[in-house]
């Protein structure tokens, strides 16, 4: 017989619903419901309600989506200034987005913005969430404010909305509106290289200034260029909600 010392669960074991709630899935009540509905798996198995898991090592999925539950996961929202590049290391030693956030734990940018693009970018060490946020099949919309030189015609706006032919194919339908005389708002869920610049160029409106103003449900008009903050639990939950589509809080 093992001694009682060995029968005790290691300290880091926690109830599954608590772990899921902390990861931004929803309230504990919602998480309990998901477990009862057998929409959650732990290491590939369907758990009992009340089961305890080790957040450091357990592979947890909800509706087949991997959910990062490790305690060291961090999610930053950075307002990238012009001139800073979106790679982890630049051979030319230019300033990178990684230089603007804490070094421990090490995080990486979710997707990319051109050096001459400003605005919101997420930084995290949660590889699964990063994958879901950048994969077009999850349809996370990114919104951009685009300054152009002259007022685009209605027809130009319509073309952007319907899709324009680029050298890597037709762009998907986009949400496009004219905010001011020379300021367009474009929301897309594809992430092709220099896509917004190329879309605007293709209709005869080269971009003067490009700012990413929204990532899915995440906006922040008071975050100064070069500053970052952690995502709130509410924001993380709103992202999960879009990815998981049909669970309600
Ligand atoms: N589209 C672009 O053209 N550039 C970016 O940085 C982001 C989207």
């Amino acid at each position: 017989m093992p001694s009682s010392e060995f029968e005790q669960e290691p300290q880091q074991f926690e109830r599954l619903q608590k772990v899921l709630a902390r990861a931004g899935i929803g309230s504990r009540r919602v998480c309990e419901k998901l477990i009862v509905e057998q929409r959650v798996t732990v290491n590939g198995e369907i758990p009992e309600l009340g089961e305890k898991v080790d957040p450091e090592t357990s592979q947890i999925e909800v509706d087949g989506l991997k959910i990062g539950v490790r305690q060291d996961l961090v999610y930053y929202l950075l307002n990238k200034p012009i001139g800073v590049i979106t790679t982890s290391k630049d051979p030319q030693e230019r300033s990178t987005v990684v230089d603007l956030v804490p070094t421990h734990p090490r995080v990486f940018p979710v997707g990319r913005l051109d050096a001459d693009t400003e605005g919101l970018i997420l930084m995290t060490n949660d590889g699964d969430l990063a994958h879901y946020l950048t994969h077009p099949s999850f349809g996370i919309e990114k919104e951009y404010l685009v300054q152009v030189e002259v007022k685009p015609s209605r027809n130009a706006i319509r073309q952007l909305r319907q899709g324009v032919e680029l050298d890597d194919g037709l762009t998907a339908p986009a949400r496009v509106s004219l905010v001011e005389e020379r300021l367009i708002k474009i929301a897309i869920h594809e992430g092709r290289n220099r896509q917004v610049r190329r879309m605007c160029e293709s209709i005869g409106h080269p971009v003067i200034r490009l700012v990413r103003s929204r990532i899915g449900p995440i906006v922040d008009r008071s975050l100064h260029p070069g500053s970052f903050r952690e995502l709130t639990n509410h924001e993380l939950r709103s992202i999960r909600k879009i990815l998981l589509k049909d669970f309600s809080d």
Side-chain angles (χ1 to χ4, degrees):
M1 281 287 283
S3 75
S4 59
E5 194 186 338
F6 291 110
E7 280 167 356
Q8 271 174 8
E9 277 158 347
Q11 201 139 48
Q12 71 266 25
F13 273 67
E14 289 180 285
R15 285 203 196 283
L16 180 55
Q17 57 266 41
K18 184 176 171 195
V19 170
L20 287 171
R22 193 176 51 227
I25 298 300
S27 63
R28 285 208 200 171
R29 188 185 50 79
V30 165
C31 295
E32 282 172 8
K33 190 160 169 271
L34 291 170
I35 297 167
V36 171
E37 289 171 353
Q38 305 198 338
R39 291 167 66 180
V40 182
T41 59
V42 178
N43 301 327
E45 309 274 340
I46 292 180
E48 298 285 338
L49 183 63
E51 186 161 319
K52 288 191 171 179
V53 296
D54 179 355
E56 298 309 307
T57 57
S58 302
Q59 290 283 334
I60 297 181
E61 296 187 8
V62 177
D63 289 348
L65 241 61
K66 290 184 189 142
I67 306 295
V69 295
R70 287 195 338 259
Q71 304 257 29
D72 71 332
L73 295 178
V74 291
Y75 306 88
Y76 301 133
L77 180 67
L78 169 72
N79 186 348
K80 185 188 97 60
I82 283 186
V84 172
I85 60 164
T86 317
T87 50
S88 299
K89 186 102 190 80
D90 181 43
Q92 294 168 46
E93 309 262 296
R94 286 172 300 180
S95 163
T96 80
V97 286
V98 172
D99 300 331
L100 297 175
V101 294
T103 42
H104 297 290
R106 202 174 157 70
V107 293
F108 51 87
V110 178
R112 59 183 299 280
L113 291 177
D114 305 329
D116 44 355
T117 301
E118 304 154 66
L120 301 180
I121 186 156
L122 291 172
M123 310 273 301
T124 185
N125 52 354
D126 182 342
D128 296 316
L129 193 81
H131 169 74
Y132 298 139
L133 282 169
T134 46
H135 203 281
S137 67
F138 289 96
I140 298 282
E141 204 176 60
K142 283 106 188 169
E143 181 191 272
Y144 298 87
L145 291 171
V146 192
Q147 196 184 326
V148 289
E149 221 157 66
V150 290
K151 182 179 177 184
S153 66
R154 279 182 187 212
N155 189 40
I157 298 288
R158 191 177 317 125
Q159 276 179 277
L160 288 175
R161 251 182 221 142
Q162 289 171 348
V164 292
E165 192 63 49
L166 301 180
D167 52 15
D168 52 359
L170 188 67
T171 60
R175 291 207 288 145
V176 184
S177 59
L178 198 61
V179 182
E180 286 169 18
E181 201 46 30
R182 282 165 288 161
L183 189 66
I184 318 172
K185 186 152 80 180
I186 303 184
I188 57 173
H189 51 258
E190 297 174 290
R192 301 193 217 168
N193 194 27
R194 297 181 77 84
Q195 180 166 344
V196 174
R197 291 175 196 279
R198 290 188 295 133
M199 284 169 72
C200 293
E201 232 165 78
S202 80
I203 55 150
H205 288 281
V207 170
I208 308 288
R209 186 177 174 201
L210 183 57
V211 181
R212 181 146 75 186
S213 47
R214 182 169 59 81
I215 302 166
I218 311 298
V219 285
D220 190 330
R221 291 195 187 87
S222 56
L223 195 62
H224 296 290
S227 308
F228 78 93
R229 65 167 173 84
E230 285 204 45
L231 283 190
T232 64
N233 205 266
H234 178 78
E235 287 173 324
L236 197 53
R237 210 184 269 195
S238 62
I239 292 175
R240 304 266 196 221
K241 225 168 179 170
I242 295 175
L243 296 174
L244 290 164
K245 293 189 175 80
D246 68 341
F247 80 92
S248 58
D249 213 340

